[in-house]
Amino acid sequence: MTSANPLREGLEQERVPDASCLVIFGASGDLTQRKLIPALYSLASEGLLPAGQTIVGYARPEFTDEAFRAAMREACDAHARTRPVDDAVWENFARGLFYVSGEFTERDGYVRLREKLAECDRTRGTGGRRIYYLAVPPQFFPTVSTILGAEGMVHDPETPGPFTRVIIEKPFGRDLQTAEDLNRVAVGTFRERQIFRIDHYLGKETVQNLLVFRFSNGIFESFWNRQYVDHVQLTVAESIGVEKRGGYFETAGITRDIIQNHMLQLLSLVAMEPPVAFEANAVRDEKVKVLRALREFPGGHEGDLAVRGQYTEGSVLGDHAAAYRSEERVDSQSRTETFAALKVFIDNWRWADVPFYLRAGKRLPKRVTDISIHFRQAPFPLFSRTMRTHSNVLAIRIQPDEGISLKFDSKLPGPTVRTAPVTMEFRYATSFGAEPPEAYERLLLETMLGDSTLFARRDEVETAWAWLDPLLKSWESSGTGPHPYAAGTWGPDAAEELLARDGRHWRRP
Ligand code: BG6
């Protein structure tokens, strides 16, 4: 019998977590309302949450449980993937929603929280199992984790008993030093296997499908290497600007915001060796090897391999867009990059001298995340010496219109042999009849199950920073700033030149 939703059926059959108390620190914030509670509700509506699963919000504002539930219902009405919200599902879900008001820095609040959790263990069967979601600004992370430890709210997995896990949101530092400091604090209270560092790109269905595509099919691995691949392109383009996050973005820039985490995760998945098992450490061991093999930026010559840009006034999708420097809480002389393009090499046996071109930017013409593998041309122009042959391109569309396509040359109909590129396509929505679930749904479920395959390990984070730090420092100390590009274009000309110098051009996804 075929299943209507094979992905969901797999999860239901094999993997039902035990009910736990999921505590959200920062429950009054944007992430909770836009992503976390809607994702949890969607899991409930798909029947993937265990009976008794409990969610406790913790933040400074005073709310009763009832007021918190009402606010979360509004959040789901606005943001849940599975809408309209079903009243019966909601009623059941809301019975497991509670709220405790308290400061991140004061122990009284944690004492009240501990009492609430103990009560939930009695009434909802959560058995002392705890997941702490730190949706808090990074400066609060040390305090929250230290107080949790001091209040006896963290169970050491080395001794028998219920699990404690902690979920940490990015940014994991802003350079190697701060990332190491954060990690040191984390392992002061938790063991590495209790720590779930979220990179929401890993929760995207199509990102996970990269592994299935590569390693569940016999044919692709045979040409997934320097012998057949000419180069690889990765694009994370956004049409939005920095919106209300100008203050944060000023201290980050696109390289820290997108490349250090999301794009290096994509790059590792594309370039990694097959893991010995589909298991957290086996997969992450292979990913971190890719990061370790990234060629260092040559001191003083970064410009040959890296371009940064900043958007000026323009028009995106028909609407006027202000310059980055006029955004809220952005310095009018800012030199923060809102676009970056890098040419990267992975110095290992498989990829030696194959360029990987990465670009990420805000205020580009559209939102698209796309990976394309460009194959070497046929060795000899058999059909016509004068007619151009095209490279075969395998394009993996992460979002939107999720899918995979392969471009190849075909004979044009007619008595003469003329060729033209055509495309063979797999579209996620057509094949599976549904939009893929939200990344946070999958990641929250994986945390409840205790599987950290889709989370960043300490050495991944630190290796990524160690590689990027010299580039970021060189940009900071350089006398020049980013190249301007008009909002609504594909970045500065220098980004085109980065490929043109190699006789290549960016794919227009
Ligand atoms: C976040 C970045 O991690 O990812 C944002 O901080 C960015 O700046 C977002 O907009 C993009 O995520 P997605 O899922 O929309 O591609």
Side-chain angles (χ1 to χ4, degrees):
M1 202 174 79
T2 55
S3 155
N5 185 342
L7 299 172
R8 183 181 155 208
E9 188 171 84
L11 286 171
E12 276 174 339
Q13 281 173 355
E14 295 160 27
R15 305 173 358 122
V16 179
D18 290 328
S20 57
C21 285
L22 169 65
V23 180
I24 304 178
F25 286 91
S28 57
D30 208 42
L31 183 74
T32 306
Q33 303 193 15
R34 296 175 68 92
K35 297 286 182 190
L36 304 183
I37 297 290
L40 288 160
Y41 165 77
S42 293
L43 285 173
S45 75
E46 302 257 322
L48 294 172
L49 284 190
Q53 179 61 40
T54 299
I55 297 147
V56 182
Y58 183 93
R60 181 192 279 169
E62 299 276 348
F63 278 122
T64 59
D65 288 340
E66 280 316 317
F68 182 62
R69 286 171 188 158
M72 295 304 108
R73 169 71 195 239
E74 274 179 35
C76 289
D77 285 334
H79 302 295
R81 177 178 60 87
T82 44
R83 276 181 287 163
V85 170
D86 180 297
D87 287 331
V89 174
W90 173 259
E91 284 306 313
N92 193 35
F93 176 73
R95 271 196 284 277
L97 270 182
F98 301 91
Y99 184 81
V100 173
S101 159
E103 301 281 344
F104 298 141
T105 49
E106 285 169 19
R107 289 175 80 148
D108 305 0
Y110 292 69
V111 172
R112 287 194 300 279
L113 175 64
R114 196 176 55 205
E115 284 161 9
K116 176 69 102 180
L117 298 177
E119 183 189 320
C120 291
D121 285 341
R122 288 192 296 276
T123 57
R124 297 189 53 82
T126 42
R129 291 176 285 274
R130 306 282 182 258
I131 300 173
Y132 300 118
Y133 198 121
L134 304 197
V136 300
Q139 66 268 28
F140 287 113
F141 174 67
T143 318
V144 176
S145 60
T146 308
I147 302 183
L148 282 172
E151 287 299 327
M153 297 167 79
V154 176
H155 181 82
D156 184 350
E158 295 298 306
T159 59
F163 65 73
T164 304
R165 298 176 187 141
V166 65
I167 306 179
I168 315 177
E169 267 291 334
K170 69 179 266 260
F172 310 122
R174 63 182 315 279
D175 53 19
L176 178 59
Q177 180 67 53
T178 47
E180 283 175 346
D181 291 347
L182 259 182
N183 280 329
R184 216 170 295 119
V185 170
V187 296
T189 304
F190 302 95
R191 295 196 187 251
E192 176 63 28
R193 67 175 185 279
Q194 293 177 287
I195 303 172
F196 291 70
R197 294 178 192 80
I198 288 233
D199 184 311
H200 78 278
Y201 264 57
L202 291 175
K204 292 181 190 278
E205 276 292 335
T206 39
V207 173
Q208 294 159 45
N209 193 34
L210 266 172
L211 287 177
V212 174
F213 180 75
R214 285 192 58 197
F215 303 129
S216 182
N217 294 296
I219 59 171
F220 303 117
E221 271 308 287
S222 54
F223 51 72
W224 208 264
N225 56 51
R226 68 188 306 278
Q227 237 185 311
Y228 298 98
V229 175
D230 176 72
H231 74 280
V232 178
Q233 297 186 17
L234 280 82
T235 296
V236 175
E238 292 183 278
S239 54
I240 54 169
V242 292
E243 304 197 295
K244 302 258 173 263
R245 299 162 73 225
Y248 151 75
F249 204 84
E250 272 287 87
T251 63
I254 203 82
T255 314
R256 291 188 173 92
D257 187 46
I258 300 275
I259 296 184
Q260 187 274 344
N261 37 76
H262 307 326
M263 284 198 96
L264 289 185
Q265 287 291 346
L266 295 179
L267 177 72
S268 321
L269 293 170
V270 170
M272 69 191 265
E273 296 301 315
V276 290
F278 189 56
E279 174 274 320
N281 277 330
V283 171
R284 297 185 299 180
D285 285 346
E286 296 307 332
K287 280 165 59 195
V288 82
K289 281 187 208 164
V290 173
L291 299 176
R292 282 200 207 112
L294 290 173
R295 188 183 298 174
E296 282 173 23
F297 289 100
H301 297 283
E302 293 86 358
D304 298 342
L305 300 175
V307 169
R308 58 193 163 134
Q310 187 189 74
Y311 61 82
T312 58
E313 196 177 352
S315 154
V316 182
L317 300 168
D319 290 330
H320 172 261
Y324 175 68
R325 290 180 177 183
S326 332
E327 301 272 16
E328 242 173 74
R329 297 169 63 212
V330 168
D331 186 335
S332 60
Q333 301 299 314
S334 172
R335 287 175 43 170
T336 300
E337 83 287 1
T338 60
F339 174 97
L342 308 181
K343 176 176 164 185
V344 171
F345 290 98
I346 299 169
D347 285 333
N348 66 12
W349 194 273
R350 185 189 285 259
W351 295 117
D353 295 326
V354 175
F356 285 70
Y357 298 100
L358 277 52
R359 67 177 164 171
K362 300 264 182 201
R363 286 292 192 219
L364 300 189
K366 56 171 155 175
R367 174 176 184 253
V368 59
T369 300
D370 178 274
I371 299 170
S372 52
I373 318 287
H374 299 247
F375 293 95
R376 290 183 191 278
Q377 298 223 340
F380 174 72
L382 183 62
F383 297 107
S384 157
R385 306 246 161 154
T386 51
M387 201 180 332
R388 204 163 76 85
T389 56
H390 302 88
S391 300
N392 298 121
V393 179
L394 181 78
I396 301 167
R397 177 69 77 93
I398 302 295
Q399 63 185 18
D401 301 331
E402 293 79 0
I404 298 177
S405 67
L406 178 67
K407 192 179 91 178
F408 56 92
D409 270 358
S410 171
K411 180 182 170 303
L412 278 170
T416 50
V417 179
R418 288 188 303 140
T419 62
V422 293
T423 307
M424 202 157 71
E425 280 211 320
F426 148 68
R427 304 189 76 176
Y428 187 100
T430 316
S431 296
F432 297 120
E435 295 290 311
E438 282 276 321
Y440 277 96
E441 295 174 34
R442 181 67 193 270
L443 295 175
L444 285 161
L445 189 63
E446 293 297 306
T447 314
M448 292 177 197
L449 290 160
D451 186 337
S452 49
T453 310
L454 301 178
F455 295 81
R457 203 169 59 186
R458 178 180 185 165
D459 52 351
E460 284 181 76
V461 173
E462 292 180 2
T463 310
W465 279 124
W467 176 69
L468 267 178
D469 259 9
L471 175 68
L472 293 168
K473 296 222 160 75
S474 144
W475 278 348
E476 267 153 28
S477 61
S478 119
T480 57
H483 297 276
Y485 64 97
T489 64
W490 283 100
D493 292 344
E496 300 297 332
E497 287 153 20
L498 186 71
L499 272 71
R501 280 201 295 274
D502 299 340
R504 303 186 176 107
H505 58 270
W506 290 104
R507 209 174 89 81
R508 289 275 173 264

mmCIF file with all atom_site columns, all heavy atoms in Angstrom, residues 170 200-201 204 238 240 245 248 257-258 262 362 367 399, ligand 1:
data_model
loop_
_atom_site.group_PDB
_atom_site.id
_atom_site.type_symbol
_atom_site.label_atom_id
_atom_site.label_alt_id
_atom_site.label_comp_id
_atom_site.label_asym_id
_atom_site.label_entity_id
_atom_site.label_seq_id
_atom_site.pdbx_PDB_ins_code
_atom_site.Cartn_x
_atom_site.Cartn_y
_atom_site.Cartn_z
_atom_site.occupancy
_atom_site.B_iso_or_equiv
_atom_site.pdbx_formal_charge
_atom_site.auth_seq_id
_atom_site.auth_comp_id
_atom_site.auth_asym_id
_atom_site.auth_atom_id
_atom_site.pdbx_PDB_model_num
ATOM   1   N N   . LYS A 1 170 ? 21.485 30.518 17.187 1.00 0.00 ? 170 LYS A N   1
ATOM   2   C CA  . LYS A 1 170 ? 22.588 31.338 16.726 1.00 0.00 ? 170 LYS A CA  1
ATOM   3   C C   . LYS A 1 170 ? 22.357 32.785 17.153 1.00 0.00 ? 170 LYS A C   1
ATOM   4   O O   . LYS A 1 170 ? 21.218 33.127 17.437 1.00 0.00 ? 170 LYS A O   1
ATOM   5   C CB  . LYS A 1 170 ? 22.769 31.191 15.224 1.00 0.00 ? 170 LYS A CB  1
ATOM   6   C CG  . LYS A 1 170 ? 21.645 31.807 14.392 1.00 0.00 ? 170 LYS A CG  1
ATOM   7   C CD  . LYS A 1 170 ? 21.916 31.643 12.933 1.00 0.00 ? 170 LYS A CD  1
ATOM   8   C CE  . LYS A 1 170 ? 22.619 32.840 12.354 1.00 0.00 ? 170 LYS A CE  1
ATOM   9   N NZ  . LYS A 1 170 ? 21.732 33.771 11.645 1.00 0.00 ? 170 LYS A NZ  1
ATOM   10  N N   . HIS A 1 200 ? 18.920 26.481 11.484 1.00 0.00 ? 200 HIS A N   1
ATOM   11  C CA  . HIS A 1 200 ? 17.605 26.047 10.986 1.00 0.00 ? 200 HIS A CA  1
ATOM   12  C C   . HIS A 1 200 ? 17.677 25.526 9.553  1.00 0.00 ? 200 HIS A C   1
ATOM   13  O O   . HIS A 1 200 ? 16.777 24.826 9.105  1.00 0.00 ? 200 HIS A O   1
ATOM   14  C CB  . HIS A 1 200 ? 16.547 27.139 11.182 1.00 0.00 ? 200 HIS A CB  1
ATOM   15  C CG  . HIS A 1 200 ? 16.597 28.238 10.174 1.00 0.00 ? 200 HIS A CG  1
ATOM   16  N ND1 . HIS A 1 200 ? 17.459 29.284 10.263 1.00 0.00 ? 200 HIS A ND1 1
ATOM   17  C CD2 . HIS A 1 200 ? 15.866 28.451 9.054  1.00 0.00 ? 200 HIS A CD2 1
ATOM   18  C CE1 . HIS A 1 200 ? 17.269 30.091 9.233  1.00 0.00 ? 200 HIS A CE1 1
ATOM   19  N NE2 . HIS A 1 200 ? 16.315 29.606 8.483  1.00 0.00 ? 200 HIS A NE2 1
ATOM   20  N N   . TYR A 1 201 ? 18.774 25.823 8.826  1.00 0.00 ? 201 TYR A N   1
ATOM   21  C CA  . TYR A 1 201 ? 18.879 25.274 7.471  1.00 0.00 ? 201 TYR A CA  1
ATOM   22  C C   . TYR A 1 201 ? 18.916 23.752 7.494  1.00 0.00 ? 201 TYR A C   1
ATOM   23  O O   . TYR A 1 201 ? 18.439 23.090 6.575  1.00 0.00 ? 201 TYR A O   1
ATOM   24  C CB  . TYR A 1 201 ? 20.102 25.851 6.742  1.00 0.00 ? 201 TYR A CB  1
ATOM   25  C CG  . TYR A 1 201 ? 19.707 27.027 5.889  1.00 0.00 ? 201 TYR A CG  1
ATOM   26  C CD1 . TYR A 1 201 ? 19.070 28.123 6.472  1.00 0.00 ? 201 TYR A CD1 1
ATOM   27  C CD2 . TYR A 1 201 ? 19.919 27.038 4.525  1.00 0.00 ? 201 TYR A CD2 1
ATOM   28  C CE1 . TYR A 1 201 ? 18.655 29.190 5.710  1.00 0.00 ? 201 TYR A CE1 1
ATOM   29  C CE2 . TYR A 1 201 ? 19.509 28.113 3.751  1.00 0.00 ? 201 TYR A CE2 1
ATOM   30  C CZ  . TYR A 1 201 ? 18.874 29.186 4.355  1.00 0.00 ? 201 TYR A CZ  1
ATOM   31  O OH  . TYR A 1 201 ? 18.446 30.234 3.586  1.00 0.00 ? 201 TYR A OH  1
ATOM   32  N N   . LYS A 1 204 ? 15.560 22.061 7.163  1.00 0.00 ? 204 LYS A N   1
ATOM   33  C CA  . LYS A 1 204 ? 14.791 22.150 5.910  1.00 0.00 ? 204 LYS A CA  1
ATOM   34  C C   . LYS A 1 204 ? 14.796 20.789 5.223  1.00 0.00 ? 204 LYS A C   1
ATOM   35  O O   . LYS A 1 204 ? 15.848 20.174 5.073  1.00 0.00 ? 204 LYS A O   1
ATOM   36  C CB  . LYS A 1 204 ? 15.395 23.227 4.994  1.00 0.00 ? 204 LYS A CB  1
ATOM   37  C CG  . LYS A 1 204 ? 15.223 24.650 5.535  1.00 0.00 ? 204 LYS A CG  1
ATOM   38  C CD  . LYS A 1 204 ? 15.811 25.669 4.581  1.00 0.00 ? 204 LYS A CD  1
ATOM   39  C CE  . LYS A 1 204 ? 15.883 27.051 5.192  1.00 0.00 ? 204 LYS A CE  1
ATOM   40  N NZ  . LYS A 1 204 ? 14.648 27.830 5.141  1.00 0.00 ? 204 LYS A NZ  1
ATOM   41  N N   . GLU A 1 238 ? 18.195 36.793 -0.763 1.00 0.00 ? 238 GLU A N   1
ATOM   42  C CA  . GLU A 1 238 ? 16.970 37.251 -0.095 1.00 0.00 ? 238 GLU A CA  1
ATOM   43  C C   . GLU A 1 238 ? 16.541 38.568 -0.711 1.00 0.00 ? 238 GLU A C   1
ATOM   44  O O   . GLU A 1 238 ? 17.388 39.412 -1.015 1.00 0.00 ? 238 GLU A O   1
ATOM   45  C CB  . GLU A 1 238 ? 17.224 37.453 1.397  1.00 0.00 ? 238 GLU A CB  1
ATOM   46  C CG  . GLU A 1 238 ? 17.482 36.170 2.139  1.00 0.00 ? 238 GLU A CG  1
ATOM   47  C CD  . GLU A 1 238 ? 17.651 36.437 3.621  1.00 0.00 ? 238 GLU A CD  1
ATOM   48  O OE1 . GLU A 1 238 ? 18.746 36.821 4.028  1.00 0.00 ? 238 GLU A OE1 1
ATOM   49  O OE2 . GLU A 1 238 ? 16.665 36.283 4.352  1.00 0.00 ? 238 GLU A OE2 1
ATOM   50  N N   . ILE A 1 240 ? 14.395 40.518 0.955  1.00 0.00 ? 240 ILE A N   1
ATOM   51  C CA  . ILE A 1 240 ? 14.197 41.430 2.084  1.00 0.00 ? 240 ILE A CA  1
ATOM   52  C C   . ILE A 1 240 ? 15.518 42.119 2.436  1.00 0.00 ? 240 ILE A C   1
ATOM   53  O O   . ILE A 1 240 ? 16.596 41.626 2.104  1.00 0.00 ? 240 ILE A O   1
ATOM   54  C CB  . ILE A 1 240 ? 13.656 40.703 3.345  1.00 0.00 ? 240 ILE A CB  1
ATOM   55  C CG1 . ILE A 1 240 ? 14.548 39.521 3.721  1.00 0.00 ? 240 ILE A CG1 1
ATOM   56  C CG2 . ILE A 1 240 ? 12.223 40.285 3.168  1.00 0.00 ? 240 ILE A CG2 1
ATOM   57  C CD1 . ILE A 1 240 ? 14.238 38.917 5.078  1.00 0.00 ? 240 ILE A CD1 1
ATOM   58  N N   . ARG A 1 245 ? 16.071 44.476 12.140 1.00 0.00 ? 245 ARG A N   1
ATOM   59  C CA  . ARG A 1 245 ? 17.237 43.922 12.826 1.00 0.00 ? 245 ARG A CA  1
ATOM   60  C C   . ARG A 1 245 ? 18.529 44.682 12.505 1.00 0.00 ? 245 ARG A C   1
ATOM   61  O O   . ARG A 1 245 ? 19.615 44.112 12.580 1.00 0.00 ? 245 ARG A O   1
ATOM   62  C CB  . ARG A 1 245 ? 17.395 42.451 12.448 1.00 0.00 ? 245 ARG A CB  1
ATOM   63  C CG  . ARG A 1 245 ? 16.178 41.622 12.852 1.00 0.00 ? 245 ARG A CG  1
ATOM   64  C CD  . ARG A 1 245 ? 16.154 40.322 12.095 1.00 0.00 ? 245 ARG A CD  1
ATOM   65  N NE  . ARG A 1 245 ? 17.155 39.388 12.547 1.00 0.00 ? 245 ARG A NE  1
ATOM   66  C CZ  . ARG A 1 245 ? 17.939 38.679 11.732 1.00 0.00 ? 245 ARG A CZ  1
ATOM   67  N NH1 . ARG A 1 245 ? 17.870 38.842 10.424 1.00 0.00 ? 245 ARG A NH1 1
ATOM   68  N NH2 . ARG A 1 245 ? 18.806 37.829 12.203 1.00 0.00 ? 245 ARG A NH2 1
ATOM   69  N N   . TYR A 1 248 ? 21.362 44.469 15.184 1.00 0.00 ? 248 TYR A N   1
ATOM   70  C CA  . TYR A 1 248 ? 22.100 43.201 15.177 1.00 0.00 ? 248 TYR A CA  1
ATOM   71  C C   . TYR A 1 248 ? 22.967 43.093 13.911 1.00 0.00 ? 248 TYR A C   1
ATOM   72  O O   . TYR A 1 248 ? 24.143 42.752 13.965 1.00 0.00 ? 248 TYR A O   1
ATOM   73  C CB  . TYR A 1 248 ? 21.111 42.019 15.245 1.00 0.00 ? 248 TYR A CB  1
ATOM   74  C CG  . TYR A 1 248 ? 21.619 40.756 14.574 1.00 0.00 ? 248 TYR A CG  1
ATOM   75  C CD1 . TYR A 1 248 ? 22.604 39.976 15.189 1.00 0.00 ? 248 TYR A CD1 1
ATOM   76  C CD2 . TYR A 1 248 ? 21.141 40.368 13.325 1.00 0.00 ? 248 TYR A CD2 1
ATOM   77  C CE1 . TYR A 1 248 ? 23.102 38.834 14.558 1.00 0.00 ? 248 TYR A CE1 1
ATOM   78  C CE2 . TYR A 1 248 ? 21.626 39.232 12.690 1.00 0.00 ? 248 TYR A CE2 1
ATOM   79  C CZ  . TYR A 1 248 ? 22.597 38.476 13.313 1.00 0.00 ? 248 TYR A CZ  1
ATOM   80  O OH  . TYR A 1 248 ? 23.089 37.366 12.684 1.00 0.00 ? 248 TYR A OH  1
ATOM   81  N N   . ASP A 1 257 ? 26.181 36.316 9.388  1.00 0.00 ? 257 ASP A N   1
ATOM   82  C CA  . ASP A 1 257 ? 24.759 35.995 9.524  1.00 0.00 ? 257 ASP A CA  1
ATOM   83  C C   . ASP A 1 257 ? 24.371 34.750 8.716  1.00 0.00 ? 257 ASP A C   1
ATOM   84  O O   . ASP A 1 257 ? 23.566 33.941 9.166  1.00 0.00 ? 257 ASP A O   1
ATOM   85  C CB  . ASP A 1 257 ? 23.940 37.209 9.047  1.00 0.00 ? 257 ASP A CB  1
ATOM   86  C CG  . ASP A 1 257 ? 22.451 37.048 9.312  1.00 0.00 ? 257 ASP A CG  1
ATOM   87  O OD1 . ASP A 1 257 ? 22.101 36.632 10.427 1.00 0.00 ? 257 ASP A OD1 1
ATOM   88  O OD2 . ASP A 1 257 ? 21.643 37.320 8.408  1.00 0.00 ? 257 ASP A OD2 1
ATOM   89  N N   . ILE A 1 258 ? 24.920 34.583 7.549  1.00 0.00 ? 258 ILE A N   1
ATOM   90  C CA  . ILE A 1 258 ? 24.477 33.502 6.648  1.00 0.00 ? 258 ILE A CA  1
ATOM   91  C C   . ILE A 1 258 ? 25.615 32.556 6.254  1.00 0.00 ? 258 ILE A C   1
ATOM   92  O O   . ILE A 1 258 ? 25.454 31.340 6.265  1.00 0.00 ? 258 ILE A O   1
ATOM   93  C CB  . ILE A 1 258 ? 23.882 34.105 5.337  1.00 0.00 ? 258 ILE A CB  1
ATOM   94  C CG1 . ILE A 1 258 ? 22.683 35.000 5.639  1.00 0.00 ? 258 ILE A CG1 1
ATOM   95  C CG2 . ILE A 1 258 ? 23.549 33.021 4.337  1.00 0.00 ? 258 ILE A CG2 1
ATOM   96  C CD1 . ILE A 1 258 ? 21.362 34.317 5.763  1.00 0.00 ? 258 ILE A CD1 1
ATOM   97  N N   . HIS A 1 262 ? 24.711 28.865 7.821  1.00 0.00 ? 262 HIS A N   1
ATOM   98  C CA  . HIS A 1 262 ? 23.854 28.179 6.853  1.00 0.00 ? 262 HIS A CA  1
ATOM   99  C C   . HIS A 1 262 ? 24.628 27.716 5.613  1.00 0.00 ? 262 HIS A C   1
ATOM   100 O O   . HIS A 1 262 ? 24.497 26.590 5.157  1.00 0.00 ? 262 HIS A O   1
ATOM   101 C CB  . HIS A 1 262 ? 22.711 29.089 6.404  1.00 0.00 ? 262 HIS A CB  1
ATOM   102 C CG  . HIS A 1 262 ? 21.922 29.676 7.541  1.00 0.00 ? 262 HIS A CG  1
ATOM   103 N ND1 . HIS A 1 262 ? 21.696 29.001 8.714  1.00 0.00 ? 262 HIS A ND1 1
ATOM   104 C CD2 . HIS A 1 262 ? 21.307 30.878 7.686  1.00 0.00 ? 262 HIS A CD2 1
ATOM   105 C CE1 . HIS A 1 262 ? 20.975 29.759 9.523  1.00 0.00 ? 262 HIS A CE1 1
ATOM   106 N NE2 . HIS A 1 262 ? 20.735 30.900 8.924  1.00 0.00 ? 262 HIS A NE2 1
ATOM   107 N N   . LYS A 1 362 ? 21.358 40.343 0.832  1.00 0.00 ? 362 LYS A N   1
ATOM   108 C CA  . LYS A 1 362 ? 20.047 40.923 1.128  1.00 0.00 ? 362 LYS A CA  1
ATOM   109 C C   . LYS A 1 362 ? 19.696 41.881 -0.004 1.00 0.00 ? 362 LYS A C   1
ATOM   110 O O   . LYS A 1 362 ? 20.580 42.438 -0.648 1.00 0.00 ? 362 LYS A O   1
ATOM   111 C CB  . LYS A 1 362 ? 20.108 41.736 2.426  1.00 0.00 ? 362 LYS A CB  1
ATOM   112 C CG  . LYS A 1 362 ? 20.509 40.919 3.652  1.00 0.00 ? 362 LYS A CG  1
ATOM   113 C CD  . LYS A 1 362 ? 19.311 40.448 4.417  1.00 0.00 ? 362 LYS A CD  1
ATOM   114 C CE  . LYS A 1 362 ? 19.694 39.686 5.665  1.00 0.00 ? 362 LYS A CE  1
ATOM   115 N NZ  . LYS A 1 362 ? 18.624 38.809 6.149  1.00 0.00 ? 362 LYS A NZ  1
ATOM   116 N N   . ARG A 1 367 ? 13.911 35.873 -3.493 1.00 0.00 ? 367 ARG A N   1
ATOM   117 C CA  . ARG A 1 367 ? 14.353 34.953 -2.454 1.00 0.00 ? 367 ARG A CA  1
ATOM   118 C C   . ARG A 1 367 ? 14.563 33.589 -3.097 1.00 0.00 ? 367 ARG A C   1
ATOM   119 O O   . ARG A 1 367 ? 13.622 32.991 -3.623 1.00 0.00 ? 367 ARG A O   1
ATOM   120 C CB  . ARG A 1 367 ? 13.277 34.847 -1.376 1.00 0.00 ? 367 ARG A CB  1
ATOM   121 C CG  . ARG A 1 367 ? 13.585 33.807 -0.311 1.00 0.00 ? 367 ARG A CG  1
ATOM   122 C CD  . ARG A 1 367 ? 12.516 33.829 0.776  1.00 0.00 ? 367 ARG A CD  1
ATOM   123 N NE  . ARG A 1 367 ? 12.849 32.907 1.863  1.00 0.00 ? 367 ARG A NE  1
ATOM   124 C CZ  . ARG A 1 367 ? 12.234 31.762 2.084  1.00 0.00 ? 367 ARG A CZ  1
ATOM   125 N NH1 . ARG A 1 367 ? 11.230 31.376 1.303  1.00 0.00 ? 367 ARG A NH1 1
ATOM   126 N NH2 . ARG A 1 367 ? 12.593 30.990 3.091  1.00 0.00 ? 367 ARG A NH2 1
ATOM   127 N N   . GLN A 1 399 ? 14.906 26.320 -1.722 1.00 0.00 ? 399 GLN A N   1
ATOM   128 C CA  . GLN A 1 399 ? 13.669 27.066 -1.504 1.00 0.00 ? 399 GLN A CA  1
ATOM   129 C C   . GLN A 1 399 ? 13.596 28.251 -2.437 1.00 0.00 ? 399 GLN A C   1
ATOM   130 O O   . GLN A 1 399 ? 14.656 28.743 -2.814 1.00 0.00 ? 399 GLN A O   1
ATOM   131 C CB  . GLN A 1 399 ? 13.576 27.543 -0.057 1.00 0.00 ? 399 GLN A CB  1
ATOM   132 C CG  . GLN A 1 399 ? 14.709 28.512 0.291  1.00 0.00 ? 399 GLN A CG  1
ATOM   133 C CD  . GLN A 1 399 ? 14.751 28.924 1.741  1.00 0.00 ? 399 GLN A CD  1
ATOM   134 O OE1 . GLN A 1 399 ? 14.173 28.290 2.597  1.00 0.00 ? 399 GLN A OE1 1
ATOM   135 N NE2 . GLN A 1 399 ? 15.441 30.004 2.037  1.00 0.00 ? 399 GLN A NE2 1
HETATM 136 C C1  . BG6 B 2 .   ? 18.608 33.758 9.599  1.00 0.00 ? 1   BG6 B C1  1
HETATM 137 C C2  . BG6 B 2 .   ? 19.293 35.075 9.370  1.00 0.00 ? 1   BG6 B C2  1
HETATM 138 O O1  . BG6 B 2 .   ? 19.467 32.864 10.252 1.00 0.00 ? 1   BG6 B O1  1
HETATM 139 O O2  . BG6 B 2 .   ? 18.225 33.205 8.345  1.00 0.00 ? 1   BG6 B O2  1
HETATM 140 C C3  . BG6 B 2 .   ? 18.392 36.022 8.619  1.00 0.00 ? 1   BG6 B C3  1
HETATM 141 O O3  . BG6 B 2 .   ? 19.657 35.642 10.620 1.00 0.00 ? 1   BG6 B O3  1
HETATM 142 C C4  . BG6 B 2 .   ? 17.881 35.396 7.352  1.00 0.00 ? 1   BG6 B C4  1
HETATM 143 O O4  . BG6 B 2 .   ? 19.064 37.245 8.325  1.00 0.00 ? 1   BG6 B O4  1
HETATM 144 C C5  . BG6 B 2 .   ? 17.306 34.007 7.629  1.00 0.00 ? 1   BG6 B C5  1
HETATM 145 O O5  . BG6 B 2 .   ? 16.894 36.239 6.798  1.00 0.00 ? 1   BG6 B O5  1
HETATM 146 C C6  . BG6 B 2 .   ? 17.000 33.293 6.333  1.00 0.00 ? 1   BG6 B C6  1
HETATM 147 O O6  . BG6 B 2 .   ? 16.297 32.125 6.614  1.00 0.00 ? 1   BG6 B O6  1
HETATM 148 P P1  . BG6 B 2 .   ? 15.334 31.467 5.536  1.00 0.00 ? 1   BG6 B P1  1
HETATM 149 O O7  . BG6 B 2 .   ? 14.856 30.214 6.183  1.00 0.00 ? 1   BG6 B O7  1
HETATM 150 O O8  . BG6 B 2 .   ? 14.255 32.465 5.268  1.00 0.00 ? 1   BG6 B O8  1
HETATM 151 O O9  . BG6 B 2 .   ? 16.179 31.226 4.324  1.00 0.00 ? 1   BG6 B O9  1
#
